Amino acid sequence: MKQAIIYARGRKRGKLLEQIAVCKLFAECNGYRAVRVICQTGSFPTIQKLARDPVEDIIIAFPSVLGSPAYFLSRRTRLNLAGKRVLIATKEVSA
């Protein structure tokens, strides 16, 4: 079974729990085991920690978790260059 990190960001507990539930369901349906859940309520230093983590797959609930469209592309590219794959739980995964 593939391993993944669930990454959620927001200021309200309910929003974080919703994102985590969506990501856990995605993981279960797509053969991933969530080995860690990282929640962030402030700015983005956690992105650097994600890039250094040995787990390659990161599941997020939707693109805006990584910021505005421009920031999403920039952060996803930075994570990709670090050997990570960002999986969006609200998008379909093709085999």
Side-chain angles (χ1 to χ4, degrees), residues 2-15:
K2 302 174 277 188
Q3 296 183 345
I5 296 171
I6 292 175
Y7 175 71
R9 182 178 69 93
R11 298 206 186 278
K12 296 184 179 178
R13 180 177 166 80
K15 270 293 204 199

Side-chain angles (χ1 to χ4, degrees), residues 27-46:
E28 183 180 312
C29 292
N30 290 284
Y32 287 92
R33 181 171 65 91
V35 294
R36 196 167 9 280
V37 175
I38 297 175
C39 293
Q40 187 166 350
T41 57
S43 59
F44 286 97
T46 303

Side-chain angles (χ1 to χ4, degrees), residues 1-67:
M1 184 171 273
K2 302 174 277 188
Q3 296 183 345
I5 296 171
I6 292 175
Y7 175 71
R9 182 178 69 93
R11 298 206 186 278
K12 296 184 179 178
R13 180 177 166 80
K15 270 293 204 199
L16 290 171
L17 293 175
E18 181 182 322
Q19 289 177 47
I20 292 167
V22 166
C23 291
K24 283 184 175 181
L25 179 61
F26 175 89
E28 183 180 312
C29 292
N30 290 284
Y32 287 92
R33 181 171 65 91
V35 294
R36 196 167 9 280
V37 175
I38 297 175
C39 293
Q40 187 166 350
T41 57
S43 59
F44 286 97
T46 303
I47 297 295
Q48 296 168 355
K49 290 179 186 176
L50 287 171
R52 291 190 300 263
D53 196 287
V55 176
E56 294 176 359
D57 295 315
I58 302 165
I59 302 172
I60 62 175
F62 41 86
S64 64
V65 169
L66 293 180

